[in-house]
Amino acid sequence: MRAAVLHGPDDLRVEDVDEPAGEVVVEVRAATACGTDRKMLLRGHPILGGYPARFGHETAGVRLDTGERVLVGDSVACGACAPCAAGRPAICRSPAWVLGGFAERIAAPEAALHALPDGLEFAGAAMAEPLAACVHALGRGSDARDAAVLGGGTIGLMLARLLVLDGRDVLVVDRHAERRAQAEALGARAAEELGSHDLVFEAVGRVEAWEQALAAARPGGTVVFVGGCPSGTTIDVPTGPLHYDEVDLRGAFHHTRDEVDRAIALLAGGEVDWHALAGDEVTLEQLGDALRAPAAGEARKLVVDPRR
Ligand SMILES: [Zn+2]
Ligand SMILES: [Zn+2]
């Protein structure tokens, strides 16, 4: 079968590879791409586990054994480590990662699969993975009405939509006019700069953005850091706001199985309109160039159809 295989930083090849082996084999119908895939292509990533490596972690398709339509979850928590025992599988110490959606077929443990409701298209279903991370991030926040999201990429827009659905007053901050227009279309307000807010979500993944998010928190406020910065980076945290203003700083990483199911339901029910976030449909051969292309204009996710 054909698969996109990483052989090193920025060395992506579409190759004939052996059929995948595992508990369940799924024929991939849509695999969406995100910033993590771009990082994996250009810089590598710890969870790739060395080269050559398959990637693609937002994957929906059809089980070869039962014909059932499924989302292939990108990880299975171990269930045994301290965070798992404490009910926090999103930060499991030894999850089994399930990568390889950019291929004609992918093998996955049964525990990684989520059945899809009729009517939810595969491209929309694949977006349940990033949307689940946003469901998780929302849970890491406070119940403040005044919420801001720094970053109008697909994650920032999904987060904003969840906040709007939850009845919050939401401001999305992005320097791209096209993304501000997208934010407004889903019910948020939009601006080029953060003000002062009770709840701030950072959805950019750059040190400067983390510092801006921190600086925007009102006394008693909460900042949730959703975007991962390059490894090894640090931010300067002034002690004053943490102590005198009791500002809460919280990370948000990944998601739980229940959050994935919640995301699938939101996409299937239309509360989150995935069409507004779907971008170009590309082949495996077009994937590398599409991931390398600088992000401009509207925030939209690439959709790979490996059968094309
Ligand atoms: Zn992703
Ligand atoms: Zn665990």
Side-chain angles (χ1 to χ4, degrees):
M1 68 157 190
R2 289 158 60 246
V5 183
L6 292 167
H7 285 267
D10 207 14
D11 182 0
L12 176 65
R13 306 174 203 169
V14 177
E15 299 177 333
D16 270 317
V17 299
D18 292 341
E19 287 294 323
E23 260 179 60
V24 180
V25 176
V26 174
E27 182 182 75
V28 179
R29 295 297 181 84
T32 49
C34 73
T36 301
D37 298 304
R38 182 181 158 83
K39 280 186 230 173
M40 285 178 168
L41 168 65
L42 297 178
R43 303 204 290 260
H45 197 285
I47 69 169
L48 287 175
Y51 296 107
R54 311 263 182 95
F55 73 137
H57 61 275
E58 304 175 1
T59 311
V62 177
R63 287 177 70 138
L64 287 188
D65 55 356
T66 64
E68 193 180 12
R69 304 165 73 251
V70 291
L71 169 75
V72 182
D74 67 351
S75 64
V76 179
C78 78
C81 68
C84 279
R88 297 182 65 177
I91 52 167
C92 174
R93 296 301 85 189
S94 50
W97 293 104
V98 182
L99 304 178
F102 299 140
E104 289 183 281
R105 286 173 285 285
I106 183 173
E110 179 90 40
L113 302 179
H114 299 254
L116 295 177
D118 290 342
L120 176 58
E121 290 173 46
F122 291 110
M127 293 184 203
E129 195 283 320
L131 181 61
C134 297
V135 171
H136 184 74
L138 189 69
R140 295 285 294 155
S142 69
D143 58 6
R145 180 169 167 74
D146 166 50
V149 178
L150 177 56
T154 53
I155 289 285
L157 292 173
M158 285 179 177
L159 251 174
R161 180 61 187 158
L162 294 178
L163 287 158
V164 167
L165 288 171
D166 201 43
R168 317 291 185 98
D169 179 15
V170 187
L171 179 74
V172 172
V173 174
D174 199 289
R175 60 193 173 83
H176 297 93
E178 297 91 339
R179 294 174 181 200
R180 294 198 298 275
Q182 284 180 287
E184 287 168 349
L186 50 81
R189 292 179 297 115
E192 286 189 66
E193 300 281 342
L194 281 169
S196 294
H197 305 279
D198 294 325
L199 175 59
V200 184
F201 290 89
E202 191 284 346
V204 177
R206 285 207 308 266
V207 165
E208 315 83 79
W210 279 48
E211 290 175 344
Q212 284 166 24
L214 176 56
R218 282 209 186 98
T222 303
V223 185
V224 182
F225 299 99
V226 184
C229 293
S231 62
T233 51
T234 58
I235 60 167
D236 269 331
V237 179
T239 59
L242 266 68
H243 182 66
Y244 296 108
D245 300 340
E246 296 192 342
V247 168
D248 282 337
L249 307 184
R250 315 190 85 189
F253 176 69
H254 207 49
H255 46 61
T256 68
R257 201 179 153 82
D258 287 349
E259 287 161 348
V260 174
D261 285 328
R262 173 81 186 124
I264 290 171
L266 286 164
L267 291 159
E271 288 98 333
V272 176
D273 175 18
W274 63 268
H275 292 97
L277 298 172
D280 293 340
E281 192 177 283
V282 299
T283 64
L284 289 174
E285 283 76 12
Q286 292 166 330
L287 173 64
D289 285 343
L291 282 175
R292 285 182 202 102
E298 289 196 332
R300 289 186 176 267
K301 296 175 72 65
L302 284 176
V303 180
V304 179
D305 181 350
R307 298 175 305 164
R308 284 179 60 200

